[in-house]
Structure formats: C-alpha cells, structure tokens
Amino acid sequence: MYQKIDQKIWVAGVYKNSSFQPTKFKWQDRELKITEVTLHSDFKDGQVKKRCYSVISGQEVYRLEFNRENETWYLREIWVD
Amino acid sequence: MKTTILHVDINSYFATILQQENPHLRHKPVGVIKDEGRTCLIATSKEAKQLGIGTGSNVYEAREIFPEIILIPASFDRYLDATKKLKKIFESISPDVYIYSLDEAFINISHCQKFIYPQAEQLGQQIQQKIKQELGSWVTANVGIGNNRLLAKIASEIAAKGSVLEINQDNLDGILASIEFKDVCGVGYQLTKKLQRLNVTHPYQLRFFTAEELGVLVGPFWANELLKIAYGQEPHLLTLLEKPSSHMKSIGRSITGFRLYDREDEIKSILFNLCSEVIDKTRKMKLAGRQITINLYGQNQAFHDHITLKYFIEHLDEMFIWVKKLYQHWNKDFKIIKFAIRLSLLEPNDQKPLLPSWHKQEKIQTALDKINAKYGLFTLHPASIMKQHLIRPEVTGFLGDRDYQLGN
C-alpha cells in the first residue's frame, strides 16, 4: 500500500529530449538517487498544473509531485509492502 | 476505397498502469478499488484474471480465491493522462480517431492506408511499440483490424493478450461461428439470454433465422441489428460514432455510498454535492439543460423521477431546487446506497434571459466558477455540503463525458 508523506523535498535532474528527468531528491537530510522514472502524469488542480513522477530509488517506489505554478516539489507517497 | 479500421484496447488498463508505475505489483494478482474501504474491484490485473478474479468481483470473493491479492485505490488522474497520451499517438497515425473509452479507441486508416500504411498488421505492431515507448514497457495492447468497427472490436476482444488480429473474408465466418455474444459490442446480457431460448449462442447461428422470426423474440429493431451482426456488418450503435454530436446531450453523476443513508440532511447534502459537479461541467462546456432526473437506489428498491422544464437552467441553486422537489416525491421507504442525478436536453446557452433575478444568480455563479477554476472545484462551496466528506469529480472507465475530459 501507499503511505502518505506530503513533505516538501529538493529535486535535481536533467533535461532529456526537451523534458525534465528527475535524477535525485533530498528528503529528511537523505539524498536519494533515482534509478528509474516508471510513469509521469500531468493533471490540473483547479488551474494549477501539476506533474506526478513515479520513481524508483533503491528498492522503493516514490510518488513525487511538482507544482508547476510555484515550482515546488513534494514527496506525496511511498510504497510499503 | 477499402475501409480499414483498427481497434486498440489496452490490456487490463487500470491495473496495468499501476503495475507500470510500481514494479512491486508486476506479475502479481492486483485488484483496483475505487477508494480505501471500498469492496468492489473495478479492475483487476491480468494475473488476477488468470485466477478467475475478474472486474466486478468483490474483495471477499477475491480473497477466497487468492488471500494475498493486492488492493490498490484507483488513480484516475494517471488514467486520464495516459489516455491523453494514447490519443496523441493515435492522432499521429490518422486524423480519424474516436476514443471509445479510457482504454479503447477506433482508428480509421482508410484514407491514408494505400500510400502510408499498406500493411495494417505491421501498423498494429508499430502502435503497440509506440504505446510501450510512451507509457512504459509493462503496458500491452490488443489491436484488432477489420473493414468496420464491429469486426475491428471483435478482433481485439478475441486476440491473444498483446497481439494483433485481423478479421477478413477468409476467417470471418469461422470467427462468427466460434465467438460468444460477450465478445460482440452492443449485445448485452438480457439479449444474450433471450437468444439462448432459440439455442443461439454464436452470431453465425443468427443467419438461420429470418427478421420476422427474430422479431417475435426481440422486436423489429434488434432483429435487424442481429442479422447485421450475423454477417459481420456494423450495427447502428457503432455507425453513430461516425457522426459525433456537436455537444454533450446530458451530464450526470452517480455515487455509491460507503453505507446506507436515511438521514434527510445527509441525503440532501450528497445530492447537492452531485449537483455542484454537474453544474460545473455544464457551465465549463457553455451548455444549459432543461430536464432533471434523480435516481435513488436501496439494496433491492429504487426510486426514479424526472421533470422536463420549458426553460434552460445553468445555475446550481436552480438545479438543486428541482432536485429537492423530485426528492419530495419519494416515499422514503428504504435506505439509500446509491445516488444519481442528471441534467439532460442540453443545448449551447447562447440566449440569456432578461430577468434581473437570473442575472443576480449568474453573477454569484460566475464568481463561484472563477474561484473554483483557479483554486480547484469545491474551494468555495455551499455550506450545506460541508457536513459530509466531499465527493470529488472522477473520470469513468467508459468515458461518458469524453468531450469534457478530452476536449473533443
């Protein structure tokens, strides 16, 4: 099941084929390297555009969210077996 | 010109997208529920289906078959975004695309086949590859090919998972003689049961009857439709897709509760919440309607009522006044598990009334629309729906509101 986190995070990445690819993120003073982006989805919350990235770091699956209006990143959920 | 239609159907869509997103779910039986605490599986993974756990099963039945089944709440934003990506892929192939549901589309390549896609089967494989590139390697699709939508859809229904199948003159009769009616678009459960009375279980058998003979059982309309299906011709339901209407004819919303409801304030609050969503969609599409319908369902009972007005409505207050009046017609003789409301006979709202009271309502509604458009639906909402958990908009699998969701 996914466990809710809803905490602000720092994200670094690269632009690849004109789209942003997150490569690592910092959460609770830990730097986590992203090995795979398994899915990304755009959606709107009112008129605020948001993009969700589902990523893998180590064995864990994280749901990250980027608010495209105020350019902030959140860790929304983590998969726990 | 030869007509060639492709039907693309993503395998176990809701579950597959979640498995694509999360490798821990791959190769495992997964059941998708609408929300935490729900017990109906609105979709299941291919691994669950292999065990006999299909869409529509409940959690208890599923756990009896496989106690470790993984239950995940649906992720409608992800599904809708994936469908928008699929639409882009399909529209890069042909301008004539009809998104039939969240996970299904018809692509008509008749106009461009001769020079661009001489091999339809090869094109089907290319589409499967493009889907994997765009949505991920776990996402597989069936592609059916036929000279009309009926055959293309049958082909994708019966094809092996992740494969391409063409129905042509050589295999048509054999396929119609071997498939069951569940694989035929438009033939539902009731019709299938009626046909069993004639010992008809495969479409090909319908050829042994005249329209008059079938008409006695199913009426003249369905008799003709069934005879078209018997010969692999497109039924009326699917020909309608060729001329999509200029705007939606009705907008509805239903919700199944977590429990049975009998308190009037709770019931009205839920109905008001549903009205808010219907009016929001109606106004965003610049439409107005004049028929209001309410449906309330108990465990074994139901109440339906509607009213057709002589004028159009497009304000939340107006709609809720009518929903409340319809609700008063109900005897309140059962507890409610499912609520549904609908605004129909929709037309573009280009004529505005001159009444000052209407303009006052319009000003309030416009202010509400602006705030909710900027900050999200229900940011500002009537106090009457504060008493209960807000019911938020969601996309449905069959995509009845495709014009609204995909902006066709």
Side-chain angles (χ1 to χ4, degrees):
Chain A
M1 60 180 285
Y2 285 100
Q3 188 183 323
K4 278 211 179 303
I5 304 294
D6 290 337
Q7 288 178 8
K8 267 192 180 176
I9 51 168
W10 297 88
V11 176
V14 293
Y15 275 91
K16 197 175 167 187
N17 300 327
S18 339
S19 74
F20 182 77
Q21 197 85 11
T23 53
K24 58 183 177 180
F25 65 99
K26 196 173 175 185
W27 173 50
Q28 293 180 336
D29 293 329
R30 282 188 302 154
E31 200 172 283
L32 298 156
K33 191 172 179 291
I34 294 169
T35 49
E36 189 185 346
V37 177
T38 52
L39 193 76
H40 70 86
S41 312
D42 290 322
F43 69 98
K44 269 183 166 182
D45 187 2
Q47 282 181 341
V48 179
K49 288 181 179 174
K50 294 182 177 178
R51 176 167 287 177
C52 285
Y53 291 90
S54 304
V55 302
I56 296 176
S57 178
Q59 294 295 309
E60 310 300 328
V61 177
Y62 300 85
R63 282 177 165 173
L64 314 184
E65 185 186 287
F66 179 56
N67 181 320
R68 293 164 77 178
E69 185 157 294
N70 61 19
E71 302 202 326
T72 47
W73 284 89
Y74 287 88
L75 170 57
R76 290 297 183 201
E77 286 167 303
I78 306 179
W79 175 258
V80 282
D81 267 323
Chain B
M1 184 179 65
K2 185 184 160 201
T3 302
T4 304
I5 311 278
L6 275 70
H7 179 258
V8 184
D9 186 353
I10 310 294
N11 303 138
S12 307
Y13 192 48
F14 285 9
T16 296
I17 293 291
L18 296 176
Q19 288 178 311
Q20 168 56 40
E21 185 198 13
N22 184 345
H24 295 290
L25 302 176
R26 297 180 195 172
H27 306 289
K28 289 180 185 167
V30 173
V32 182
I33 47 176
K34 212 168 173 186
D35 211 343
E36 293 286 356
R38 295 279 183 182
T39 55
C40 178
L41 303 184
I42 59 168
T44 56
S45 65
K46 45 198 167 198
E47 297 81 2
K49 287 190 180 105
Q50 280 164 6
L51 295 172
I53 306 169
T55 300
S57 314
N58 70 46
V59 170
Y60 313 107
E61 289 164 353
R63 282 194 175 133
E64 266 183 27
I65 297 171
F66 190 78
E68 294 82 26
I69 186 166
I70 302 170
L71 302 176
I72 308 278
S75 187
F76 292 106
D77 287 333
R78 286 177 173 82
Y79 304 144
L80 184 60
D81 185 68
T83 299
K84 287 177 180 171
K85 286 175 181 155
L86 290 170
K87 186 170 177 260
K88 270 191 190 165
I89 294 173
F90 303 151
E91 286 177 346
S92 72
I93 292 160
S94 164
D96 192 348
V97 170
Y98 186 85
I99 302 295
Y100 193 58
S101 67
L102 265 185
D103 61 339
E104 286 177 86
F106 290 105
I107 310 171
N108 186 344
I109 58 164
S110 311
H111 296 279
C112 41
Q113 181 176 19
K114 190 174 172 187
F115 300 108
I116 311 176
Y117 312 118
Q119 300 294 326
E121 200 169 322
Q122 210 172 34
L123 174 64
Q125 288 159 357
Q126 286 169 10
I127 291 170
Q128 290 172 326
Q129 280 311 310
K130 279 190 180 187
I131 291 170
K132 281 178 184 281
Q133 283 164 14
E134 191 59 43
L135 296 183
S137 59
W138 188 258
V139 183
T140 57
N142 281 13
V143 181
I145 305 164
N147 64 15
N148 61 42
R149 292 173 194 83
L150 176 78
L151 296 182
K153 188 154 164 54
I154 290 174
S156 77
E157 288 288 340
I158 63 171
K161 295 287 174 219
S163 66
V164 180
L165 178 69
E166 179 169 2
I167 297 183
N168 51 38
Q169 285 310 313
D170 297 333
N171 61 9
L172 174 67
D173 290 353
I175 286 173
L176 290 173
S178 61
I179 60 169
E180 294 173 12
F181 285 109
K182 67 175 173 55
D183 295 320
V184 180
C185 183
V187 181
Y189 178 74
Q190 293 298 339
L191 202 51
T192 305
K193 291 278 277 182
K194 280 185 183 174
L195 291 171
Q196 278 171 0
R197 283 189 232 157
L198 295 175
N199 287 326
V200 172
T201 48
H202 305 287
Y204 189 87
Q205 293 171 290
L206 292 163
R207 295 184 188 183
F208 309 144
F209 297 87
T210 64
E212 290 73 28
E213 285 167 333
L214 288 172
V216 172
L217 188 72
V218 297
F221 174 80
W222 275 108
N224 283 322
E225 291 299 290
L226 289 170
L227 283 176
K228 283 185 207 165
I229 290 168
Y231 290 92
Q233 293 161 10
E234 200 166 85
H236 180 67
L237 169 79
L238 290 173
T239 56
L240 291 176
L241 304 185
E242 209 146 275
K243 314 169 208 109
S245 80
S246 56
H247 59 81
M248 283 179 75
K249 300 295 179 199
S250 72
I251 295 173
R253 177 72 161 100
S254 66
I255 185 86
T256 304
F258 281 91
R259 57 181 169 83
L260 291 160
Y261 292 83
D262 59 352
R263 269 180 45 197
E264 190 158 300
D265 60 331
E266 282 186 323
I267 294 168
K268 282 187 179 169
S269 183
I270 290 170
L271 291 171
F272 201 94
N273 195 152
L274 301 183
C275 287
S276 301
E277 187 179 330
V278 167
I279 285 292
D280 183 67
K281 276 186 182 175
T282 305
R283 289 178 65 84
K284 276 187 182 147
M285 298 177 86
K286 300 192 187 320
L287 300 170
R290 61 186 187 87
Q291 186 174 71
I292 300 130
T293 307
I294 177 174
N295 299 303
L296 303 172
Y297 301 89
Q299 281 176 310
N300 298 305
Q301 310 94 321
F303 165 76
H304 312 279
D305 203 357
H306 74 275
I307 186 160
T308 306
L309 307 171
K310 288 185 178 159
Y311 57 92
F312 288 89
I313 62 165
E314 56 187 300
H315 298 138
L316 181 56
D317 277 357
E318 284 174 302
M319 175 141 185
F320 193 55
I321 285 169
W322 285 109
V323 167
K324 268 197 294 193
K325 282 184 183 169
L326 293 173
Y327 168 77
Q328 296 305 336
H329 296 169
W330 175 46
N331 290 335
K332 300 173 184 65
D333 49 356
F334 59 87
K335 291 183 180 182
I336 304 167
I337 186 70
K338 186 179 174 184
F339 304 77
I341 59 144
R342 180 168 294 278
L343 182 60
S344 316
L345 301 178
L346 297 174
E347 292 293 340
N349 63 343
D350 36 20
Q351 285 190 340
K352 306 289 184 194
L354 296 169
L355 294 169
S357 59
W358 185 91
H359 283 277
K360 190 179 164 193
Q361 273 199 341
E362 176 65 15
K363 272 186 186 169
I364 296 168
Q365 187 77 52
T366 305
L368 195 72
D369 291 347
K370 275 187 184 166
I371 291 168
N372 286 339
K374 183 156 188 185
Y375 299 105
L377 185 62
F378 301 130
T379 302
L380 193 61
H381 57 262
S384 58
I385 54 174
M386 280 176 72
K387 292 173 194 155
Q388 45 113 24
H389 176 67
L390 279 176
I391 302 161
R392 297 199 166 271
E394 59 191 35
V395 63
T396 56
F398 65 91
L399 208 59
D401 55 353
R402 64 177 59 71
D403 294 358
Y404 175 78
Q405 299 289 2
L406 301 173
N408 277 339

